[in-house]
């Protein structure tokens, strides 16, 4: 994905902080060695003096000056290493300190391109901003199970899993949205989490909101002027993130404002070709009656509709736990 300016700045500031932290550590180590390891500072000064002297010789035309300097530095460096070892320190105690030696904590490789640690920093930031890191520890394809379904319920769940996997596989090349509906506890939120985790792991920005949290944010952004600037970036991300997940739509208090804000959000994301996943416990008929015709039209026209039915898995698991 293309990071927003604010996301990129956050990551770069993280690398700059690593560099500052490790420079301070090296300064503290150097001060310790100079005050506790006798003769070390003098050897360092000798290297500096030798470099200056041999530099003058080189400028004066002495062709052997550079080779002589290299030999002096090797000898003096070996002596410094022995002093460190004799003081019970490692021989590389005063080498530059890096958390990532591949890019030297810059995030970028010398030969060009982003380092693996930069890519990991992107994923970590996206997880943090998604708000669902903990949830995805248990709700992902690794914990997918068909054991709670049978008959038509099983068929629907399997087909929806296939739909989700295709959605992920084609995410970069094919604009799609998903709409999960059906009875309570049948895996709608679980499958939303599966989709979220896979896309986060591939470096896409995913933002998750329950319906009540979403409309609380939209309401505060619209009417709470004290919070306007504080919420501006979060509000912008709702429209610009790669994937927005709205969970449990229909559990919020619905009024004309909610209808207006919901239409604006899903319509703008559709115009930008930004994917959205919505889950609801409402039937399609109840959904149409609760929201405006134009919202229903946008959903049925631009979303892949997936119906899930079966037992309430959450209640089933609780019963099983209580029997243990």
């Amino acid at each position: 994905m293309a990071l927003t300016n604010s996301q990129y700045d956050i990551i770069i500031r993280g690398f700059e902080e690593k560099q500052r932290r490790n420079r301070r550590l090296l300064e503290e180590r150097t001060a310790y060695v100079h005050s506790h390891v006798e003769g070390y500072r003098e050897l360092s000064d000798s290297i500096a003096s030798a470099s200056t002297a041999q530099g003058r010789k080189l400028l004066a035309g002495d062709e052997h000056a550079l080779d002589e300097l290299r030999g002096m530095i090797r000898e003096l460096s070996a002596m410094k290493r022995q002093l460190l070892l004799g003081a019970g320190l490692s021989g590389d105690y005063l080498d530059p300190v890096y958390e990532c030696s591949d890019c030297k904590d810059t995030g970028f490789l010398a030969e060009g391109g982003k380092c693996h640690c930069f890519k990991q920093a992107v994923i970590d930031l996206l997880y943090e901003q998604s708000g669902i890191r903990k949830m995805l520890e248990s709700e992902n394809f690794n914990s997918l199970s068909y054991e709670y379904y049978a008959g038509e319920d099983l068929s629907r769940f399997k087909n929806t899993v296939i739909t989700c996997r295709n959605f992920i596989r084609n995410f970069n090349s094919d604009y799609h949205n998903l709409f999960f509906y059906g009875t309570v506890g049948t895996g709608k939120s679980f499958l939303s989490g599966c989709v979220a985790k896979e896309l986060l792991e591939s470096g896409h920005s995913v933002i998750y909101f329950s319906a009540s949290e979403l409309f609380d944010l939209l309401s505060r952004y619209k009417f709470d002027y004290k919070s306007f600037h504080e919420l501006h970036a979060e509000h912008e991300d709702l429209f610009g993130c790669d994937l927005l997940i709205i969970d449990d739509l229909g559990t919020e208090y619905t009024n004309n404002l909610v209808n207006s804000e919901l239409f604006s959000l899903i319509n703008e994301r559709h115009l930008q070709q930004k994917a959205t996943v919505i889950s609801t416990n409402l039937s399609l008929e109840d959904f149409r009656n609760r929201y405006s015709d134009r919202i229903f039209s946008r959903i049925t026209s631009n979303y892949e509709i997936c119906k899930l039915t079966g037992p309430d898995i959450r209640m089933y698991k609780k019963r099983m736990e209580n029997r243990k």
Side-chain angles (χ1 to χ4, degrees):
M1 64 156 292
L3 292 172
T4 64
N5 289 337
S6 62
Q7 289 172 327
Y8 183 83
D9 288 344
I10 289 171
I11 290 172
I12 292 300
R13 285 199 299 271
F15 281 100
E16 290 172 347
E17 176 55 31
K18 284 182 186 179
Q19 294 170 37
R20 283 193 295 270
R21 185 168 60 246
N22 289 328
R23 279 197 300 269
R24 286 196 298 270
L25 176 58
L26 184 56
E27 289 168 1
E28 291 168 2
R29 289 182 175 183
T30 301
Y32 175 84
V33 168
H34 284 174
S35 62
H36 290 79
V37 181
E38 186 176 353
Y40 192 93
R41 184 194 290 271
E42 289 73 18
L43 287 176
S44 296
D45 292 340
S46 296
I47 290 177
S49 299
S51 298
T52 302
Q54 295 303 113
R56 290 196 188 100
K57 288 183 179 181
L58 186 63
L59 290 174
D62 186 341
E63 298 179 357
H64 304 292
L66 187 56
D67 288 337
E68 290 175 359
L69 176 61
R70 288 171 178 158
M72 292 178 187
I73 290 176
R74 281 196 298 270
E75 183 178 347
L76 292 170
S77 296
M79 294 170 65
K80 290 171 68 177
R81 178 181 173 83
Q82 288 303 314
L83 287 178
L84 291 176
L85 293 173
L89 302 172
S90 63
D92 60 356
Y93 187 68
L94 292 186
D95 287 354
V97 180
Y98 303 118
E99 292 183 26
C100 178
S101 57
D102 294 334
C103 68
K104 297 180 171 54
D105 293 340
T106 64
F108 299 90
L109 299 171
E111 61 270 23
K114 296 181 177 68
C115 183
H116 59 84
C117 66
F118 187 99
K119 296 173 183 177
Q120 186 59 51
V122 171
I123 292 173
D124 290 342
L125 175 65
L126 296 177
Y127 260 110
E128 180 182 342
Q129 293 185 339
S130 73
I132 50 175
R133 181 189 291 273
K134 188 166 184 62
M135 182 184 87
L136 297 187
E137 291 176 2
S138 58
E139 298 190 2
N140 54 70
F141 281 125
N142 290 331
S143 56
L144 178 71
S145 174
Y146 297 105
E147 66 177 293
Y148 307 105
Y149 304 88
E152 188 177 19
D153 300 335
L154 177 60
S155 177
R156 284 173 172 162
F157 186 72
K158 283 184 174 180
N159 287 336
T160 304
V161 170
I162 293 172
T163 297
C164 290
R165 292 192 182 277
N166 288 335
F167 177 84
I168 296 163
R169 185 180 304 111
N170 302 319
F171 190 81
N172 292 329
S173 59
D174 190 10
Y175 165 67
H176 266 84
N177 304 290
L178 299 176
F179 184 83
F180 302 138
Y181 81 100
T183 50
V184 175
T186 50
K188 299 182 293 295
S189 297
F190 174 84
L191 289 177
S192 296
C194 291
V195 171
K197 182 174 177 62
E198 295 297 314
L199 291 177
L200 282 165
E201 290 292 333
S202 60
H204 295 88
S205 58
V206 179
I207 294 180
Y208 168 95
F209 272 102
S210 68
S212 57
E213 291 170 337
L214 172 65
F215 293 113
D216 177 64
L217 168 65
L218 292 173
S219 177
R220 285 191 293 129
Y221 181 77
K222 194 175 186 70
F223 297 111
D224 186 351
Y225 298 105
K226 293 181 180 178
S227 301
F228 178 83
H229 294 292
E230 173 190 334
L231 298 174
H232 181 72
E234 194 169 1
H235 183 268
E236 290 296 301
D237 286 344
L238 284 177
F239 293 86
C241 64
D242 295 330
L243 175 66
L244 173 65
I245 297 176
I246 307 174
D247 196 26
D248 278 339
L249 190 61
T251 57
E252 77 288 348
Y253 175 75
T254 306
N255 52 30
N256 289 335
L257 174 64
V258 166
N259 274 304
S260 174
E261 293 294 327
L262 178 59
F263 177 78
S264 175
L265 180 58
I266 63 175
N267 187 59
E268 182 60 30
R269 288 188 62 80
H270 172 63
L271 293 175
Q272 293 186 40
Q273 302 283 278
K274 297 291 187 179
T276 306
V277 173
I278 296 174
S279 69
T280 181
N281 294 327
L282 300 174
S283 66
L284 289 181
E285 182 180 0
D286 289 340
F287 187 87
R288 182 168 196 167
N289 292 335
R290 187 181 183 100
Y291 301 98
S292 65
D293 285 340
R294 61 180 184 166
I295 290 176
F296 186 77
S297 175
R298 282 291 186 277
I299 297 293
T300 53
S301 300
N302 302 313
Y303 286 64
E304 194 155 359
I305 309 297
C306 302
K307 184 178 183 179
L308 292 168
T309 54
D312 186 334
I313 296 170
R314 286 187 288 264
M315 294 302 298
Y316 175 83
K317 287 182 177 179
K318 285 183 181 179
R319 288 196 298 271
M320 292 299 99
E321 289 175 2
N322 291 335
R323 290 179 184 179
K324 293 179 181 179

